[in-house]
Amino acid sequence: GPNGPAPNQGYYFGIRRLPYSIDFTKDPLTFRHIANGVVLPGGVPIAFGADGVSNAEVHNTGEVWATMLWECYAALLRDSGRLTFDQAQRRITDYLVAGYKMTPNAPTFLEARDAILSAALANDPLDHALLAQAFARRGAGVRAVAPDRFSTTNIGVVESYATGGDLELESASLVPDIASCDGDGLLDDGERG
């Protein structure tokens, strides 16, 4: 129903712990919920596994990944002033396929995220920004840290909700090579610094 699971909970949950949704009152999973021992958020109907003991189980971890991808798809769909439904649907499909082709073997969440973001950036910087925000909304922002690719517990997740560039130039200076520079404070053609 509108306020929780239907009497036959299969309609609400399917085979998952939570339904896929961008609504945090229905699906509050974030990146940290791939790690064993992280209790799932309270206050929402959960089919099983609320204690978080088996979060690293492949299907449970996959629910978090699928939630992130659903956020990405919804972000494109919500940009209806720029994209039609069909365009948004095509773009997310293209980004997923291209991203998966660029993803290394046995990827971490963030390597897979970066491949999808790279595909979007190559096509449309606005799409890239929307997808980056969608990943960050679920804790996989620019400063997130993924567990080791072969971890069986996924312990060590660090969430980040930050987006945007994460590089900053603090300073730059010209140190001329005394032997090749004429001392005018500029690096001229043929001079080294």
Side-chain angles (χ1 to χ4, degrees), residues 6-32:
N8 176 347
Q9 294 186 358
Y11 288 114
Y12 186 76
F13 294 108
I15 60 171
R16 297 169 292 280
R17 297 175 295 176
L18 296 147
Y20 295 132
S21 177
I22 61 169
D23 181 345
F24 276 79
T25 67
K26 293 180 176 69
D27 180 1
L29 295 176
T30 61
F31 192 25
R32 68 187 166 146

mmCIF file with all atom_site columns, all heavy atoms in Angstrom, residues 6-32:
data_model
loop_
_atom_site.group_PDB
_atom_site.id
_atom_site.type_symbol
_atom_site.label_atom_id
_atom_site.label_alt_id
_atom_site.label_comp_id
_atom_site.label_asym_id
_atom_site.label_entity_id
_atom_site.label_seq_id
_atom_site.pdbx_PDB_ins_code
_atom_site.Cartn_x
_atom_site.Cartn_y
_atom_site.Cartn_z
_atom_site.occupancy
_atom_site.B_iso_or_equiv
_atom_site.pdbx_formal_charge
_atom_site.auth_seq_id
_atom_site.auth_comp_id
_atom_site.auth_asym_id
_atom_site.auth_atom_id
_atom_site.pdbx_PDB_model_num
ATOM 1   N N   . ALA A 1 6  ? 2.201  -4.322  1.050  1.00 0.00 ? 6  ALA A N   1
ATOM 2   C CA  . ALA A 1 6  ? 0.869  -4.895  0.846  1.00 0.00 ? 6  ALA A CA  1
ATOM 3   C C   . ALA A 1 6  ? 0.750  -6.158  1.687  1.00 0.00 ? 6  ALA A C   1
ATOM 4   O O   . ALA A 1 6  ? 1.760  -6.694  2.165  1.00 0.00 ? 6  ALA A O   1
ATOM 5   C CB  . ALA A 1 6  ? 0.679  -5.216  -0.642 1.00 0.00 ? 6  ALA A CB  1
ATOM 6   N N   . PRO A 1 7  ? -0.466 -6.669  1.898  1.00 0.00 ? 7  PRO A N   1
ATOM 7   C CA  . PRO A 1 7  ? -0.617 -7.900  2.682  1.00 0.00 ? 7  PRO A CA  1
ATOM 8   C C   . PRO A 1 7  ? 0.267  -9.034  2.164  1.00 0.00 ? 7  PRO A C   1
ATOM 9   O O   . PRO A 1 7  ? 0.888  -9.735  2.939  1.00 0.00 ? 7  PRO A O   1
ATOM 10  C CB  . PRO A 1 7  ? -2.099 -8.230  2.547  1.00 0.00 ? 7  PRO A CB  1
ATOM 11  C CG  . PRO A 1 7  ? -2.757 -6.919  2.280  1.00 0.00 ? 7  PRO A CG  1
ATOM 12  C CD  . PRO A 1 7  ? -1.749 -6.123  1.484  1.00 0.00 ? 7  PRO A CD  1
ATOM 13  N N   . ASN A 1 8  ? 0.327  -9.207  0.859  1.00 0.00 ? 8  ASN A N   1
ATOM 14  C CA  . ASN A 1 8  ? 1.261  -10.162 0.269  1.00 0.00 ? 8  ASN A CA  1
ATOM 15  C C   . ASN A 1 8  ? 2.544  -9.387  0.023  1.00 0.00 ? 8  ASN A C   1
ATOM 16  O O   . ASN A 1 8  ? 2.665  -8.658  -0.943 1.00 0.00 ? 8  ASN A O   1
ATOM 17  C CB  . ASN A 1 8  ? 0.721  -10.739 -1.035 1.00 0.00 ? 8  ASN A CB  1
ATOM 18  C CG  . ASN A 1 8  ? 1.727  -11.666 -1.693 1.00 0.00 ? 8  ASN A CG  1
ATOM 19  O OD1 . ASN A 1 8  ? 2.896  -11.701 -1.319 1.00 0.00 ? 8  ASN A OD1 1
ATOM 20  N ND2 . ASN A 1 8  ? 1.274  -12.405 -2.672 1.00 0.00 ? 8  ASN A ND2 1
ATOM 21  N N   . GLN A 1 9  ? 3.513  -9.517  0.909  1.00 0.00 ? 9  GLN A N   1
ATOM 22  C CA  . GLN A 1 9  ? 4.692  -8.666  0.863  1.00 0.00 ? 9  GLN A CA  1
ATOM 23  C C   . GLN A 1 9  ? 5.531  -8.840  -0.386 1.00 0.00 ? 9  GLN A C   1
ATOM 24  O O   . GLN A 1 9  ? 6.363  -8.006  -0.684 1.00 0.00 ? 9  GLN A O   1
ATOM 25  C CB  . GLN A 1 9  ? 5.517  -8.871  2.125  1.00 0.00 ? 9  GLN A CB  1
ATOM 26  C CG  . GLN A 1 9  ? 4.784  -8.386  3.348  1.00 0.00 ? 9  GLN A CG  1
ATOM 27  C CD  . GLN A 1 9  ? 5.639  -8.435  4.598  1.00 0.00 ? 9  GLN A CD  1
ATOM 28  O OE1 . GLN A 1 9  ? 6.785  -8.873  4.567  1.00 0.00 ? 9  GLN A OE1 1
ATOM 29  N NE2 . GLN A 1 9  ? 5.089  -7.979  5.692  1.00 0.00 ? 9  GLN A NE2 1
ATOM 30  N N   . GLY A 1 10 ? 5.319  -9.910  -1.135 1.00 0.00 ? 10 GLY A N   1
ATOM 31  C CA  . GLY A 1 10 ? 6.044  -10.093 -2.385 1.00 0.00 ? 10 GLY A CA  1
ATOM 32  C C   . GLY A 1 10 ? 5.777  -8.974  -3.369 1.00 0.00 ? 10 GLY A C   1
ATOM 33  O O   . GLY A 1 10 ? 6.647  -8.621  -4.155 1.00 0.00 ? 10 GLY A O   1
ATOM 34  N N   . TYR A 1 11 ? 4.602  -8.399  -3.330 1.00 0.00 ? 11 TYR A N   1
ATOM 35  C CA  . TYR A 1 11 ? 4.303  -7.286  -4.227 1.00 0.00 ? 11 TYR A CA  1
ATOM 36  C C   . TYR A 1 11 ? 5.128  -6.058  -3.880 1.00 0.00 ? 11 TYR A C   1
ATOM 37  O O   . TYR A 1 11 ? 5.441  -5.254  -4.741 1.00 0.00 ? 11 TYR A O   1
ATOM 38  C CB  . TYR A 1 11 ? 2.812  -6.923  -4.171 1.00 0.00 ? 11 TYR A CB  1
ATOM 39  C CG  . TYR A 1 11 ? 1.928  -7.933  -4.821 1.00 0.00 ? 11 TYR A CG  1
ATOM 40  C CD1 . TYR A 1 11 ? 1.028  -8.674  -4.072 1.00 0.00 ? 11 TYR A CD1 1
ATOM 41  C CD2 . TYR A 1 11 ? 1.997  -8.166  -6.188 1.00 0.00 ? 11 TYR A CD2 1
ATOM 42  C CE1 . TYR A 1 11 ? 0.214  -9.619  -4.653 1.00 0.00 ? 11 TYR A CE1 1
ATOM 43  C CE2 . TYR A 1 11 ? 1.188  -9.114  -6.790 1.00 0.00 ? 11 TYR A CE2 1
ATOM 44  C CZ  . TYR A 1 11 ? 0.299  -9.833  -6.026 1.00 0.00 ? 11 TYR A CZ  1
ATOM 45  O OH  . TYR A 1 11 ? -0.491 -10.769 -6.621 1.00 0.00 ? 11 TYR A OH  1
ATOM 46  N N   . TYR A 1 12 ? 5.447  -5.887  -2.625 1.00 0.00 ? 12 TYR A N   1
ATOM 47  C CA  . TYR A 1 12 ? 6.193  -4.718  -2.179 1.00 0.00 ? 12 TYR A CA  1
ATOM 48  C C   . TYR A 1 12 ? 7.700  -4.941  -2.268 1.00 0.00 ? 12 TYR A C   1
ATOM 49  O O   . TYR A 1 12 ? 8.425  -4.118  -2.802 1.00 0.00 ? 12 TYR A O   1
ATOM 50  C CB  . TYR A 1 12 ? 5.800  -4.368  -0.744 1.00 0.00 ? 12 TYR A CB  1
ATOM 51  C CG  . TYR A 1 12 ? 6.408  -3.078  -0.242 1.00 0.00 ? 12 TYR A CG  1
ATOM 52  C CD1 . TYR A 1 12 ? 5.911  -1.857  -0.653 1.00 0.00 ? 12 TYR A CD1 1
ATOM 53  C CD2 . TYR A 1 12 ? 7.474  -3.087  0.658  1.00 0.00 ? 12 TYR A CD2 1
ATOM 54  C CE1 . TYR A 1 12 ? 6.459  -0.669  -0.190 1.00 0.00 ? 12 TYR A CE1 1
ATOM 55  C CE2 . TYR A 1 12 ? 8.022  -1.909  1.130  1.00 0.00 ? 12 TYR A CE2 1
ATOM 56  C CZ  . TYR A 1 12 ? 7.506  -0.701  0.696  1.00 0.00 ? 12 TYR A CZ  1
ATOM 57  O OH  . TYR A 1 12 ? 8.056  0.478   1.155  1.00 0.00 ? 12 TYR A OH  1
ATOM 58  N N   . PHE A 1 13 ? 8.164  -6.067  -1.749 1.00 0.00 ? 13 PHE A N   1
ATOM 59  C CA  . PHE A 1 13 ? 9.598  -6.315  -1.654 1.00 0.00 ? 13 PHE A CA  1
ATOM 60  C C   . PHE A 1 13 ? 10.172 -7.079  -2.839 1.00 0.00 ? 13 PHE A C   1
ATOM 61  O O   . PHE A 1 13 ? 11.363 -6.974  -3.094 1.00 0.00 ? 13 PHE A O   1
ATOM 62  C CB  . PHE A 1 13 ? 9.911  -7.124  -0.387 1.00 0.00 ? 13 PHE A CB  1
ATOM 63  C CG  . PHE A 1 13 ? 9.624  -6.389  0.886  1.00 0.00 ? 13 PHE A CG  1
ATOM 64  C CD1 . PHE A 1 13 ? 8.547  -6.741  1.678  1.00 0.00 ? 13 PHE A CD1 1
ATOM 65  C CD2 . PHE A 1 13 ? 10.429 -5.343  1.296  1.00 0.00 ? 13 PHE A CD2 1
ATOM 66  C CE1 . PHE A 1 13 ? 8.288  -6.078  2.861  1.00 0.00 ? 13 PHE A CE1 1
ATOM 67  C CE2 . PHE A 1 13 ? 10.177 -4.665  2.476  1.00 0.00 ? 13 PHE A CE2 1
ATOM 68  C CZ  . PHE A 1 13 ? 9.103  -5.032  3.265  1.00 0.00 ? 13 PHE A CZ  1
ATOM 69  N N   . GLY A 1 14 ? 9.359  -7.848  -3.544 1.00 0.00 ? 14 GLY A N   1
ATOM 70  C CA  . GLY A 1 14 ? 9.932  -8.768  -4.507 1.00 0.00 ? 14 GLY A CA  1
ATOM 71  C C   . GLY A 1 14 ? 10.773 -9.765  -3.724 1.00 0.00 ? 14 GLY A C   1
ATOM 72  O O   . GLY A 1 14 ? 10.343 -10.285 -2.709 1.00 0.00 ? 14 GLY A O   1
ATOM 73  N N   . ILE A 1 15 ? 12.014 -9.973  -4.156 1.00 0.00 ? 15 ILE A N   1
ATOM 74  C CA  . ILE A 1 15 ? 12.912 -10.875 -3.427 1.00 0.00 ? 15 ILE A CA  1
ATOM 75  C C   . ILE A 1 15 ? 13.952 -10.087 -2.629 1.00 0.00 ? 15 ILE A C   1
ATOM 76  O O   . ILE A 1 15 ? 14.918 -10.646 -2.128 1.00 0.00 ? 15 ILE A O   1
ATOM 77  C CB  . ILE A 1 15 ? 13.605 -11.863 -4.389 1.00 0.00 ? 15 ILE A CB  1
ATOM 78  C CG1 . ILE A 1 15 ? 14.427 -11.112 -5.436 1.00 0.00 ? 15 ILE A CG1 1
ATOM 79  C CG2 . ILE A 1 15 ? 12.583 -12.789 -5.024 1.00 0.00 ? 15 ILE A CG2 1
ATOM 80  C CD1 . ILE A 1 15 ? 15.317 -12.013 -6.281 1.00 0.00 ? 15 ILE A CD1 1
ATOM 81  N N   . ARG A 1 16 ? 13.756 -8.773  -2.546 1.00 0.00 ? 16 ARG A N   1
ATOM 82  C CA  . ARG A 1 16 ? 14.732 -7.892  -1.914 1.00 0.00 ? 16 ARG A CA  1
ATOM 83  C C   . ARG A 1 16 ? 14.356 -7.560  -0.474 1.00 0.00 ? 16 ARG A C   1
ATOM 84  O O   . ARG A 1 16 ? 13.224 -7.720  -0.052 1.00 0.00 ? 16 ARG A O   1
ATOM 85  C CB  . ARG A 1 16 ? 14.842 -6.598  -2.730 1.00 0.00 ? 16 ARG A CB  1
ATOM 86  C CG  . ARG A 1 16 ? 15.365 -6.836  -4.139 1.00 0.00 ? 16 ARG A CG  1
ATOM 87  C CD  . ARG A 1 16 ? 15.216 -5.593  -5.004 1.00 0.00 ? 16 ARG A CD  1
ATOM 88  N NE  . ARG A 1 16 ? 13.821 -5.276  -5.274 1.00 0.00 ? 16 ARG A NE  1
ATOM 89  C CZ  . ARG A 1 16 ? 13.063 -5.874  -6.196 1.00 0.00 ? 16 ARG A CZ  1
ATOM 90  N NH1 . ARG A 1 16 ? 13.571 -6.831  -6.939 1.00 0.00 ? 16 ARG A NH1 1
ATOM 91  N NH2 . ARG A 1 16 ? 11.817 -5.523  -6.380 1.00 0.00 ? 16 ARG A NH2 1
ATOM 92  N N   . ARG A 1 17 ? 15.335 -6.985  0.218  1.00 0.00 ? 17 ARG A N   1
ATOM 93  C CA  . ARG A 1 17 ? 15.084 -6.521  1.585  1.00 0.00 ? 17 ARG A CA  1
ATOM 94  C C   . ARG A 1 17 ? 14.197 -5.286  1.582  1.00 0.00 ? 17 ARG A C   1
ATOM 95  O O   . ARG A 1 17 ? 13.401 -5.077  2.484  1.00 0.00 ? 17 ARG A O   1
ATOM 96  C CB  . ARG A 1 17 ? 16.410 -6.197  2.287  1.00 0.00 ? 17 ARG A CB  1
ATOM 97  C CG  . ARG A 1 17 ? 17.314 -7.416  2.447  1.00 0.00 ? 17 ARG A CG  1
ATOM 98  C CD  . ARG A 1 17 ? 18.654 -7.051  3.029  1.00 0.00 ? 17 ARG A CD  1
ATOM 99  N NE  . ARG A 1 17 ? 19.395 -6.191  2.108  1.00 0.00 ? 17 ARG A NE  1
ATOM 100 C CZ  . ARG A 1 17 ? 20.568 -5.642  2.377  1.00 0.00 ? 17 ARG A CZ  1
ATOM 101 N NH1 . ARG A 1 17 ? 21.138 -5.835  3.556  1.00 0.00 ? 17 ARG A NH1 1
ATOM 102 N NH2 . ARG A 1 17 ? 21.186 -4.893  1.494  1.00 0.00 ? 17 ARG A NH2 1
ATOM 103 N N   . LEU A 1 18 ? 14.377 -4.464  0.555  1.00 0.00 ? 18 LEU A N   1
ATOM 104 C CA  . LEU A 1 18 ? 13.638 -3.213  0.405  1.00 0.00 ? 18 LEU A CA  1
ATOM 105 C C   . LEU A 1 18 ? 13.298 -3.044  -1.072 1.00 0.00 ? 18 LEU A C   1
ATOM 106 O O   . LEU A 1 18 ? 14.036 -3.520  -1.938 1.00 0.00 ? 18 LEU A O   1
ATOM 107 C CB  . LEU A 1 18 ? 14.504 -2.030  0.846  1.00 0.00 ? 18 LEU A CB  1
ATOM 108 C CG  . LEU A 1 18 ? 14.902 -2.015  2.316  1.00 0.00 ? 18 LEU A CG  1
ATOM 109 C CD1 . LEU A 1 18 ? 16.263 -1.393  2.502  1.00 0.00 ? 18 LEU A CD1 1
ATOM 110 C CD2 . LEU A 1 18 ? 13.859 -1.252  3.102  1.00 0.00 ? 18 LEU A CD2 1
ATOM 111 N N   . PRO A 1 19 ? 12.237 -2.328  -1.402 1.00 0.00 ? 19 PRO A N   1
ATOM 112 C CA  . PRO A 1 19 ? 11.957 -2.077  -2.822 1.00 0.00 ? 19 PRO A CA  1
ATOM 113 C C   . PRO A 1 19 ? 12.913 -1.016  -3.359 1.00 0.00 ? 19 PRO A C   1
ATOM 114 O O   . PRO A 1 19 ? 13.423 -0.190  -2.594 1.00 0.00 ? 19 PRO A O   1
ATOM 115 C CB  . PRO A 1 19 ? 10.519 -1.548  -2.789 1.00 0.00 ? 19 PRO A CB  1
ATOM 116 C CG  . PRO A 1 19 ? 10.415 -0.876  -1.457 1.00 0.00 ? 19 PRO A CG  1
ATOM 117 C CD  . PRO A 1 19 ? 11.255 -1.717  -0.521 1.00 0.00 ? 19 PRO A CD  1
ATOM 118 N N   . TYR A 1 20 ? 13.183 -1.029  -4.648 1.00 0.00 ? 20 TYR A N   1
ATOM 119 C CA  . TYR A 1 20 ? 14.002 0.020   -5.240 1.00 0.00 ? 20 TYR A CA  1
ATOM 120 C C   . TYR A 1 20 ? 13.172 1.289   -5.319 1.00 0.00 ? 20 TYR A C   1
ATOM 121 O O   . TYR A 1 20 ? 12.067 1.297   -5.853 1.00 0.00 ? 20 TYR A O   1
ATOM 122 C CB  . TYR A 1 20 ? 14.475 -0.366  -6.644 1.00 0.00 ? 20 TYR A CB  1
ATOM 123 C CG  . TYR A 1 20 ? 15.397 -1.552  -6.656 1.00 0.00 ? 20 TYR A CG  1
ATOM 124 C CD1 . TYR A 1 20 ? 15.202 -2.596  -7.535 1.00 0.00 ? 20 TYR A CD1 1
ATOM 125 C CD2 . TYR A 1 20 ? 16.466 -1.638  -5.768 1.00 0.00 ? 20 TYR A CD2 1
ATOM 126 C CE1 . TYR A 1 20 ? 16.043 -3.699  -7.547 1.00 0.00 ? 20 TYR A CE1 1
ATOM 127 C CE2 . TYR A 1 20 ? 17.311 -2.737  -5.762 1.00 0.00 ? 20 TYR A CE2 1
ATOM 128 C CZ  . TYR A 1 20 ? 17.098 -3.754  -6.657 1.00 0.00 ? 20 TYR A CZ  1
ATOM 129 O OH  . TYR A 1 20 ? 17.929 -4.834  -6.652 1.00 0.00 ? 20 TYR A OH  1
ATOM 130 N N   . SER A 1 21 ? 13.720 2.356   -4.787 1.00 0.00 ? 21 SER A N   1
ATOM 131 C CA  . SER A 1 21 ? 13.021 3.629   -4.799 1.00 0.00 ? 21 SER A CA  1
ATOM 132 C C   . SER A 1 21 ? 14.018 4.747   -4.532 1.00 0.00 ? 21 SER A C   1
ATOM 133 O O   . SER A 1 21 ? 15.013 4.540   -3.830 1.00 0.00 ? 21 SER A O   1
ATOM 134 C CB  . SER A 1 21 ? 11.937 3.645   -3.712 1.00 0.00 ? 21 SER A CB  1
ATOM 135 O OG  . SER A 1 21 ? 11.287 4.903   -3.664 1.00 0.00 ? 21 SER A OG  1
ATOM 136 N N   . ILE A 1 22 ? 13.731 5.926   -5.058 1.00 0.00 ? 22 ILE A N   1
ATOM 137 C CA  . ILE A 1 22 ? 14.537 7.104   -4.719 1.00 0.00 ? 22 ILE A CA  1
ATOM 138 C C   . ILE A 1 22 ? 14.004 7.766   -3.449 1.00 0.00 ? 22 ILE A C   1
ATOM 139 O O   . ILE A 1 22 ? 14.598 8.699   -2.938 1.00 0.00 ? 22 ILE A O   1
ATOM 140 C CB  . ILE A 1 22 ? 14.603 8.122   -5.873 1.00 0.00 ? 22 ILE A CB  1
ATOM 141 C CG1 . ILE A 1 22 ? 13.221 8.650   -6.227 1.00 0.00 ? 22 ILE A CG1 1
ATOM 142 C CG2 . ILE A 1 22 ? 15.304 7.517   -7.081 1.00 0.00 ? 22 ILE A CG2 1
ATOM 143 C CD1 . ILE A 1 22 ? 13.236 9.834   -7.177 1.00 0.00 ? 22 ILE A CD1 1
ATOM 144 N N   . ASP A 1 23 ? 12.909 7.250   -2.926 1.00 0.00 ? 23 ASP A N   1
ATOM 145 C CA  . ASP A 1 23 ? 12.275 7.756   -1.712 1.00 0.00 ? 23 ASP A CA  1
ATOM 146 C C   . ASP A 1 23 ? 12.936 7.082   -0.505 1.00 0.00 ? 23 ASP A C   1
ATOM 147 O O   . ASP A 1 23 ? 12.809 5.879   -0.311 1.00 0.00 ? 23 ASP A O   1
ATOM 148 C CB  . ASP A 1 23 ? 10.775 7.449   -1.769 1.00 0.00 ? 23 ASP A CB  1
ATOM 149 C CG  . ASP A 1 23 ? 10.005 7.954   -0.576 1.00 0.00 ? 23 ASP A CG  1
ATOM 150 O OD1 . ASP A 1 23 ? 10.622 8.296   0.465  1.00 0.00 ? 23 ASP A OD1 1
ATOM 151 O OD2 . ASP A 1 23 ? 8.765  8.000   -0.673 1.00 0.00 ? 23 ASP A OD2 1
ATOM 152 N N   . PHE A 1 24 ? 13.638 7.868   0.305  1.00 0.00 ? 24 PHE A N   1
ATOM 153 C CA  . PHE A 1 24 ? 14.356 7.310   1.450  1.00 0.00 ? 24 PHE A CA  1
ATOM 154 C C   . PHE A 1 24 ? 13.417 6.741   2.513  1.00 0.00 ? 24 PHE A C   1
ATOM 155 O O   . PHE A 1 24 ? 13.864 5.996   3.378  1.00 0.00 ? 24 PHE A O   1
ATOM 156 C CB  . PHE A 1 24 ? 15.286 8.357   2.066  1.00 0.00 ? 24 PHE A CB  1
ATOM 157 C CG  . PHE A 1 24 ? 16.624 8.446   1.378  1.00 0.00 ? 24 PHE A CG  1
ATOM 158 C CD1 . PHE A 1 24 ? 16.763 9.122   0.180  1.00 0.00 ? 24 PHE A CD1 1
ATOM 159 C CD2 . PHE A 1 24 ? 17.735 7.836   1.926  1.00 0.00 ? 24 PHE A CD2 1
ATOM 160 C CE1 . PHE A 1 24 ? 17.982 9.203   -0.459 1.00 0.00 ? 24 PHE A CE1 1
ATOM 161 C CE2 . PHE A 1 24 ? 18.970 7.902   1.288  1.00 0.00 ? 24 PHE A CE2 1
ATOM 162 C CZ  . PHE A 1 24 ? 19.097 8.586   0.092  1.00 0.00 ? 24 PHE A CZ  1
ATOM 163 N N   . THR A 1 25 ? 12.130 7.068   2.452  1.00 0.00 ? 25 THR A N   1
ATOM 164 C CA  . THR A 1 25 ? 11.191 6.461   3.396  1.00 0.00 ? 25 THR A CA  1
ATOM 165 C C   . THR A 1 25 ? 10.791 5.061   2.960  1.00 0.00 ? 25 THR A C   1
ATOM 166 O O   . THR A 1 25 ? 10.128 4.341   3.706  1.00 0.00 ? 25 THR A O   1
ATOM 167 C CB  . THR A 1 25 ? 9.914  7.313   3.585  1.00 0.00 ? 25 THR A CB  1
ATOM 168 O OG1 . THR A 1 25 ? 9.161  7.317   2.367  1.00 0.00 ? 25 THR A OG1 1
ATOM 169 C CG2 . THR A 1 25 ? 10.255 8.732   3.998  1.00 0.00 ? 25 THR A CG2 1
ATOM 170 N N   . LYS A 1 26 ? 11.197 4.659   1.774  1.00 0.00 ? 26 LYS A N   1
ATOM 171 C CA  . LYS A 1 26 ? 10.958 3.300   1.275  1.00 0.00 ? 26 LYS A CA  1
ATOM 172 C C   . LYS A 1 26 ? 12.273 2.537   1.097  1.00 0.00 ? 26 LYS A C   1
ATOM 173 O O   . LYS A 1 26 ? 12.341 1.344   1.334  1.00 0.00 ? 26 LYS A O   1
ATOM 174 C CB  . LYS A 1 26 ? 10.202 3.341   -0.044 1.00 0.00 ? 26 LYS A CB  1
ATOM 175 C CG  . LYS A 1 26 ? 8.787  3.861   0.088  1.00 0.00 ? 26 LYS A CG  1
ATOM 176 C CD  . LYS A 1 26 ? 8.092  3.884   -1.264 1.00 0.00 ? 26 LYS A CD  1
ATOM 177 C CE  . LYS A 1 26 ? 6.658  4.318   -1.136 1.00 0.00 ? 26 LYS A CE  1
ATOM 178 N NZ  . LYS A 1 26 ? 6.478  5.709   -0.771 1.00 0.00 ? 26 LYS A NZ  1
ATOM 179 N N   . ASP A 1 27 ? 13.316 3.228   0.634  1.00 0.00 ? 27 ASP A N   1
ATOM 180 C CA  . ASP A 1 27 ? 14.616 2.613   0.360  1.00 0.00 ? 27 ASP A CA  1
ATOM 181 C C   . ASP A 1 27 ? 15.723 3.539   0.859  1.00 0.00 ? 27 ASP A C   1
ATOM 182 O O   . ASP A 1 27 ? 16.209 4.385   0.123  1.00 0.00 ? 27 ASP A O   1
ATOM 183 C CB  . ASP A 1 27 ? 14.772 2.357   -1.140 1.00 0.00 ? 27 ASP A CB  1
ATOM 184 C CG  . ASP A 1 27 ? 16.108 1.712   -1.491 1.00 0.00 ? 27 ASP A CG  1
ATOM 185 O OD1 . ASP A 1 27 ? 16.923 1.445   -0.587 1.00 0.00 ? 27 ASP A OD1 1
ATOM 186 O OD2 . ASP A 1 27 ? 16.345 1.485   -2.692 1.00 0.00 ? 27 ASP A OD2 1
ATOM 187 N N   . PRO A 1 28 ? 16.119 3.382   2.125  1.00 0.00 ? 28 PRO A N   1
ATOM 188 C CA  . PRO A 1 28 ? 17.154 4.253   2.682  1.00 0.00 ? 28 PRO A CA  1
ATOM 189 C C   . PRO A 1 28 ? 18.578 3.705   2.555  1.00 0.00 ? 28 PRO A C   1
ATOM 190 O O   . PRO A 1 28 ? 19.491 4.199   3.215  1.00 0.00 ? 28 PRO A O   1
ATOM 191 C CB  . PRO A 1 28 ? 16.739 4.364   4.154  1.00 0.00 ? 28 PRO A CB  1
ATOM 192 C CG  . PRO A 1 28 ? 16.119 3.033   4.444  1.00 0.00 ? 28 PRO A CG  1
ATOM 193 C CD  . PRO A 1 28 ? 15.436 2.616   3.161  1.00 0.00 ? 28 PRO A CD  1
ATOM 194 N N   . LEU A 1 29 ? 18.790 2.708   1.711  1.00 0.00 ? 29 LEU A N   1
ATOM 195 C CA  . LEU A 1 29 ? 20.118 2.107   1.598  1.00 0.00 ? 29 LEU A CA  1
ATOM 196 C C   . LEU A 1 29 ? 21.122 3.097   1.027  1.00 0.00 ? 29 LEU A C   1
ATOM 197 O O   . LEU A 1 29 ? 20.848 3.800   0.059  1.00 0.00 ? 29 LEU A O   1
ATOM 198 C CB  . LEU A 1 29 ? 20.077 0.864   0.709  1.00 0.00 ? 29 LEU A CB  1
ATOM 199 C CG  . LEU A 1 29 ? 19.259 -0.313  1.223  1.00 0.00 ? 29 LEU A CG  1
ATOM 200 C CD1 . LEU A 1 29 ? 19.246 -1.434  0.190  1.00 0.00 ? 29 LEU A CD1 1
ATOM 201 C CD2 . LEU A 1 29 ? 19.783 -0.806  2.560  1.00 0.00 ? 29 LEU A CD2 1
ATOM 202 N N   . THR A 1 30 ? 22.302 3.118   1.644  1.00 0.00 ? 30 THR A N   1
ATOM 203 C CA  . THR A 1 30 ? 23.413 3.908   1.137  1.00 0.00 ? 30 THR A CA  1
ATOM 204 C C   . THR A 1 30 ? 24.648 3.017   1.088  1.00 0.00 ? 30 THR A C   1
ATOM 205 O O   . THR A 1 30 ? 24.616 1.856   1.493  1.00 0.00 ? 30 THR A O   1
ATOM 206 C CB  . THR A 1 30 ? 23.676 5.157   2.012  1.00 0.00 ? 30 THR A CB  1
ATOM 207 O OG1 . THR A 1 30 ? 24.005 4.740   3.334  1.00 0.00 ? 30 THR A OG1 1
ATOM 208 C CG2 . THR A 1 30 ? 22.475 6.095   2.020  1.00 0.00 ? 30 THR A CG2 1
ATOM 209 N N   . PHE A 1 31 ? 25.733 3.564   0.601  1.00 0.00 ? 31 PHE A N   1
ATOM 210 C CA  . PHE A 1 31 ? 26.958 2.810   0.359  1.00 0.00 ? 31 PHE A CA  1
ATOM 211 C C   . PHE A 1 31 ? 27.389 1.997   1.578  1.00 0.00 ? 31 PHE A C   1
ATOM 212 O O   . PHE A 1 31 ? 27.817 0.849   1.456  1.00 0.00 ? 31 PHE A O   1
ATOM 213 C CB  . PHE A 1 31 ? 28.048 3.791   -0.063 1.00 0.00 ? 31 PHE A CB  1
ATOM 214 C CG  . PHE A 1 31 ? 29.306 3.177   -0.622 1.00 0.00 ? 31 PHE A CG  1
ATOM 215 C CD1 . PHE A 1 31 ? 29.323 1.924   -1.207 1.00 0.00 ? 31 PHE A CD1 1
ATOM 216 C CD2 . PHE A 1 31 ? 30.495 3.881   -0.573 1.00 0.00 ? 31 PHE A CD2 1
ATOM 217 C CE1 . PHE A 1 31 ? 30.485 1.382   -1.732 1.00 0.00 ? 31 PHE A CE1 1
ATOM 218 C CE2 . PHE A 1 31 ? 31.660 3.352   -1.092 1.00 0.00 ? 31 PHE A CE2 1
ATOM 219 C CZ  . PHE A 1 31 ? 31.660 2.106   -1.665 1.00 0.00 ? 31 PHE A CZ  1
ATOM 220 N N   . ARG A 1 32 ? 27.270 2.539   2.774  1.00 0.00 ? 32 ARG A N   1
ATOM 221 C CA  . ARG A 1 32 ? 27.736 1.836   3.977  1.00 0.00 ? 32 ARG A CA  1
ATOM 222 C C   . ARG A 1 32 ? 26.990 0.536   4.225  1.00 0.00 ? 32 ARG A C   1
ATOM 223 O O   . ARG A 1 32 ? 27.485 -0.341  4.936  1.00 0.00 ? 32 ARG A O   1
ATOM 224 C CB  . ARG A 1 32 ? 27.631 2.729   5.198  1.00 0.00 ? 32 ARG A CB  1
ATOM 225 C CG  . ARG A 1 32 ? 26.217 3.041   5.584  1.00 0.00 ? 32 ARG A CG  1
ATOM 226 C CD  . ARG A 1 32 ? 26.168 4.067   6.682  1.00 0.00 ? 32 ARG A CD  1
ATOM 227 N NE  . ARG A 1 32 ? 24.798 4.547   6.757  1.00 0.00 ? 32 ARG A NE  1
ATOM 228 C CZ  . ARG A 1 32 ? 24.223 4.902   7.857  1.00 0.00 ? 32 ARG A CZ  1
ATOM 229 N NH1 . ARG A 1 32 ? 24.879 4.856   8.991  1.00 0.00 ? 32 ARG A NH1 1
ATOM 230 N NH2 . ARG A 1 32 ? 22.990 5.335   7.840  1.00 0.00 ? 32 ARG A NH2 1
#
